[in-house]
Structure formats: structure tokens, C-alpha cells
Amino acid sequence: MSFAQTVALGALAGFTIFIGLPVGRLQLLSRRTRVALAMFSVGVLAFIFVDVMSNGLSIVDDALTAFKDDKETLWYVIWLVILMAAGFTAGSAGLAVLERRMRGVGTRKPPIAGGAEAATIGATEPEPLALELYEARRHALRVSLTIAAAIGVHNFAEGLAIGVSARAGAISLATVLIIGFALHNATEGFGIVGPLGDVKPSWRWLGLAGLIGGGPTFLGSIVGYAVTSDPLELAFYACAGGAILYVIGEIWNGMRRYGHRELGLLMVSAGFLIGVLTDLVVSYGGA
């Protein structure tokens, strides 16, 4: 498989994420339906978490096996463990710190009472309820973009797998990987827009979220075709795992106040099952 074919098919696998994104603009959905969609996305993300962490652990396990067979050094195994821990921390705690700092950007302190600025703002300042709705909208969009970024890191690792298999001449494996990842990425669009709730995103925002979430598959196929590196792949898997765990916590906390607990848990199971079924397509090809 040529470089151009690999890149084109990698792009196709990545941009199927746009299939599920337009659901975020539907305004006819009830609160119950939106809770179901959000919790379905949690199920999909839970499977992706299991998937990326198992792939990351397999790299460390392979290095440990090589060390036992005197084919690798102990320091290399230790380095991989440290790299995995650092990537997971950056993806989870790092995102929490970044999100907290982003939350404070643009927050305006109230002016001194009685001043001229207070009189000017008092005439034009929205009501507290409007400000609360505005902040809630910003938070929902920010969480969804965080999900897109976490999925993007995961998809970069998927792109690496496509590029490596194509470069090695395993055309049938590369083809099955592309089909499997394309089906898998199609469900990830729901994971991005699920937490939006009543917020209706713009088409520009959906385009940006799709590029952040699906574009890395395209970039990963380029890098994977040119470079093969287990530490690089492990770093992306670990970072993606930490980020996805953080995002799951954010969605779960956000949806608890709406109720429908039993429905939510059923949809988590459904989302996880969909992730398993799409992954079986990849496993069937021998990945």
C-alpha cells in the first residue's frame, strides 16, 4: 500500500467521526433522550478507556517479556512504566488543572459599588440567570471539546497502527483496521455531543470538534508510515486513557442532576457493547 493510499484511507477512517456530530444540533430531543445520549457516550468512552489502556499495557508487557529473554534492558522497562504513568497523569490531572484555569479566563470581577463603571454596567448587564446560563453553555462546550481532544489522542494511536501495518506490507490487516476504526470513530461523534444537553452548537463548532477528534487519525497514519516507535505509541495511549477517565467523570457528574438513573446505566451498557462490537471487526482481521 503506497503512502498516498495510506494517508487517504487514514483520513477516511478518521473523519467518519462527523457522522454522529450533527445530532448535537437537534433541539427536539427530550431531557430523557439527552440523558440517554450522554450516558451512551459514557459507555463508548468506557470501552475506549479499556481499549487504550490494554494496548498500552501490552507494550509494557512485551518489553518485560523481552527483558526476561535477555533481549531488552531493565532500564527500558522502567522507562516505559514511568512514561505510562506520566502520560496518564498528564491526561487526567493535567486536564483538570487546564480546565480550571480555562474556567477563570474571561471572568469579570464586579466593579466597586457606586462607581461610574457600576452604573454603566448595571444598565446593560444581563440578569444573573442569563449569566448562569451563559456559563453553563461555556462549560458544556468546553467539556465536549475536552472529550474531542481525548478521543483525538486515542485516534492518533489508531492512525499509528494503520500506518505501521501499511508500511510493513500487511495490506489486508491495514484494510481491516481502516474499516474497523472507521466504524468505531462513527460512534465517537455521539460521545462528543452527548454532554451538550440543551446547548445547540454551531456548525463551525461541530467542524472544529470533528477536526480535533478525527484529524489525528489522519496525522497518525502519516507518522506511523514513516516512524515506528513503541514509546511514542505508549505515551499517546497513556495520555488518552487519563483524559478519557477525566471526561467520564465530568459527564457523569453533569448528568446526575437530571435523574433517570436506571436508563442511564442501561445506556452505558449499550454504549460499551457498541464499542465491543466495532472492535471485533478489527480483531477479526488479526489486529
Side-chain angles (χ1 to χ4, degrees):
M1 186 177 291
S2 68
F3 175 75
Q5 290 174 322
T6 302
V7 171
L9 293 175
L12 176 63
F15 291 120
T16 54
I17 198 171
F18 283 98
I19 293 175
L21 289 176
V23 174
R25 288 186 57 84
L26 296 179
Q27 295 296 295
L28 300 178
L29 301 179
S30 65
R31 175 169 294 184
R32 180 183 176 88
T33 304
R34 291 185 179 278
V35 169
L37 179 61
M39 298 310 289
F40 178 84
S41 72
V42 168
V44 174
L45 291 171
F47 171 77
I48 296 175
F49 173 79
V50 173
D51 186 40
V52 298
M53 294 309 298
S54 62
N55 287 333
L57 285 171
S58 68
I59 295 176
V60 179
D61 288 341
D62 290 343
L64 183 60
T65 301
F67 167 70
K68 291 169 65 177
D69 295 337
D70 296 326
K71 297 179 181 179
E72 197 57 81
T73 64
L74 177 62
W75 291 113
Y76 180 70
V77 178
I78 295 175
W79 157 242
L80 290 182
V81 173
I82 294 174
L83 182 63
M84 188 173 188
F88 190 88
T89 303
S92 54
L95 271 182
V97 172
L98 179 62
E99 198 273 339
R100 185 181 64 183
R101 292 185 177 181
M102 290 174 61
R103 188 182 305 169
V105 175
T107 301
R108 183 169 55 188
K109 295 182 178 180
I112 299 176
E117 184 181 1
T120 303
I121 294 178
T124 59
E125 192 77 28
E127 294 295 328
L129 179 59
L131 285 174
E132 184 177 346
L133 291 175
Y134 172 72
E135 288 300 325
R137 172 183 170 83
R138 286 185 59 193
H139 177 71
L141 292 173
R142 188 165 57 239
V143 169
S144 291
L145 280 184
T146 303
I147 294 174
I151 289 176
V153 174
H154 162 248
N155 286 342
F156 184 87
E158 288 186 347
L160 289 176
I162 292 174
V164 168
S165 58
R167 178 64 180 269
I171 298 178
S172 59
L173 173 58
T175 302
V176 172
L177 285 174
I178 291 166
I179 295 173
F181 290 152
L183 292 173
H184 200 154
N185 292 345
T187 65
E188 292 173 346
F190 298 108
I192 294 174
V193 300
L196 289 177
D198 296 330
V199 175
K200 182 179 180 180
S202 65
W203 286 112
R204 180 180 299 179
W205 186 94
L206 290 177
L208 175 62
L211 287 175
I212 293 174
T217 308
F218 165 74
L219 297 176
S221 63
I222 296 176
V223 175
Y225 196 90
V227 179
T228 301
S229 172
D230 283 343
L232 176 65
E233 196 171 349
L234 176 61
F236 276 97
Y237 279 135
C239 188
I244 290 169
L245 186 62
Y246 166 77
V247 165
I248 288 175
E250 286 288 296
I251 300 175
W252 194 281
N253 288 332
M255 291 298 110
R256 283 179 60 189
R257 65 179 183 272
Y258 294 120
H260 306 295
R261 180 172 176 270
E262 292 78 10
L263 173 64
L265 291 175
L266 285 174
M267 294 308 295
V268 169
S269 301
F272 191 88
L273 178 60
I274 290 295
V276 171
L277 292 177
T278 55
D279 189 66
L280 286 177
V281 177
V282 180
S283 299
Y284 181 76

